[in-house]
Amino acid sequence: MSDIVIPPGLVLIVGAFALPFVSLRLRNVLLLGLPLVALALVWMVPDGEALRLSWFGYELTPVRGDALARVFGTVFALMVFGGGLYSLNQPRTLELTSAYAYAGSALGVVFAGDLLSVFVFWELMALASTMVIWSAGREAWGPGIRYAIIHLLGGVILMAGVAGQIWTTGDIGFHAMATDGWPRWLILAGFLINAGAPPLQAWLPDAYPAASWSGMVFLSAFTTKTAVYVLMRGFPGAEILLWVGLFMACYGIVFAILENDMRRILAYSIINQVGFMVTGIGIGTELALNGAAAHAFAHIIYKALLLMSAGSVLYMTGKSKCTDLGGLFRTMPVTTVCGTIGALAISAFPLTSGFVSKSMINSAAGEEHLAVVWFVLAAATAGVFLHAGIKFPWFVFFQKDSGMRPPDPPANMRWAMYLLSAICIGLGVFPQPLYAILPYPVDYEPYTGSHVVQQLQLLLFSGLAFFLLLNALKRTRTITLDVDWLWRGLAPGPAVRLARWVSAWRAVALERLGGSLTFVVGSLRRHHGPEGIVGGTWPTGVMAFWTTVLLAGLLVVYYI
Amino acid sequence: MTPEQDHWLVRPASIRKLWAGFIVVLALTVLADLFVEHHPHFGIDGTFGFGAWYGFISCVAMVFFSKGLGLLLKRRDDYYE
């Protein structure tokens, strides 16, 4: 084996910038080939510090390999392949360049062995993902700028924490940290902002659904799951994560129940799912951490599948609101079936990937006798089926007949959905390959009679509640105010008034200043204006005369 | 087009059959509790049909909580425009 280590993310970042300059055919070859190369490189990174770099006196470790990094690296590379396949017919290469650079930066974070490298890739992710959103067109400008502001704010908080950590401890390494001292709290806060944690969670359902039909597939995978990764690496067992995670799990359900836009429903459900992972990290036992990593793996695949299904509907109909959709199962059978497989997987139905991963987190809560955590997670498990598992397929593909009869999307989009559906069911039936690459040894059997029966009861009776309460769940043309109201609803009014006030005072001040300036300007104008003695044009002869005088003077001075 | 001519899945007769099938499946999953051994961590999670009643009640509670919150926070979807 060679000693040369190529950072897996670098291939995607460099390759991304080649995409705009090659023919369409080569672009598509790169879109499918780059992630496979990255996947191979993920598995070629040796354990331990694989690449070191000196930079202004700091010993950086841009590439460090271990089992945890490999789990996330593997699913990130798989995800880019699936997303690339789905996006082959995306005409905007800017979006694909941004998406691949974004995914490469996420891989960069996963393999970074020191806090400065983490920060650099963290910021690259923020920039590239903003470009993914903006690629969707003019409508995406506002949500994109709000997204960028929140993430740059998160970056500043993270940087302050990293600087504090290096200043107070001299330790630049990225490893498990205790939640003591302000630098660690700032680092934790920076990580949590990207995870979609309160109080700034509203950035996610605001920005992601503004992306294009393919853009949101990429966005759903990397930012929040990279945050899950850094939390697992940096703060395993931090108790605050238990409560943050439980809040996220419940928040996602409540807001998704009220939502009308299918992609915003799925955006809220990302927060719900990340909540399960964050809770698992808070529990902090080996079973819980394995569960959080496995759930991140499974989640990336089924959430991308759900968003591919929703993206196909948006691509074919141009519509995204449940009130405009319905009855599409008649002419979009592939999209319906694949979307339903994704919905069953996110609901953790037995024989799907969600079941073999989520049940580890729930079991870990039980084994630690964390009663509140266990009961809230059980309720949230039932709630996932309610808000995403049934709600998404029901309102998009069934319910009323919208009258639309669009066909299934083009072949590459269908194949991407087949591929991810196969992974969802494959891992559910045969979880051993996933269990084998988890960070800790797995001694866990998901398919016990007790687990399966209790899970089926939770889910099917959640389904019963859905259909009995269908009237209460009927969609309306509404949105639900969230904390982003502070900067979208409340702040703009006073900000506009402030701007008017400032400009009014500016006018008054300028007028007064103008009076005293008139004199100065007037005298300047007398001397330097067009009629002024200094401002006028001089004949060349005068110039030649004075040059001669100067040179003669110089000659005289020289002889003296 | 009358409902009878539409796709079989949306005909009232099929929907009645689907409901009947669903109720049978629900009953079976509860009855399955008689045949599996649970290892409750907290006591109450080992009661008969725990998943069924807990799942149902928590979903109903979440729906009504959401509706209540919606009264306060719902706005027309052009609110920010």
Side-chain angles (χ1 to χ4, degrees), chain A residues 328-384:
Chain A
L328 301 180
F329 77 97
R330 293 176 181 80
T331 52
M332 298 185 85
V334 174
T335 311
T336 306
V337 169
C338 292
T340 306
I341 290 173
L344 293 175
I346 197 174
S347 312
F349 249 87
L351 302 183
T352 65
S353 56
F355 178 73
V356 302
S357 58
K358 190 195 281 174
S359 61
M360 294 172 101
I361 301 175
N362 295 15
S363 296
E367 283 184 9
E368 294 304 298
H369 295 280
L370 299 166
V372 176
V373 177
W374 192 88
F375 282 101
V376 174
L377 286 184
T381 301
V384 175

Side-chain angles (χ1 to χ4, degrees), chain A residues 330 375 450 457 472 479 481, chain B residues 6 29 38 54 67 73 75:
Chain A
R330 293 176 181 80
F375 282 101
S450 169
Q457 288 180 1
I479 55 164
L481 298 185
Chain B
D6 200 352
T29 55
H38 288 299
Y54 187 73
K67 294 294 282 183
L73 297 180
R75 297 290 185 278

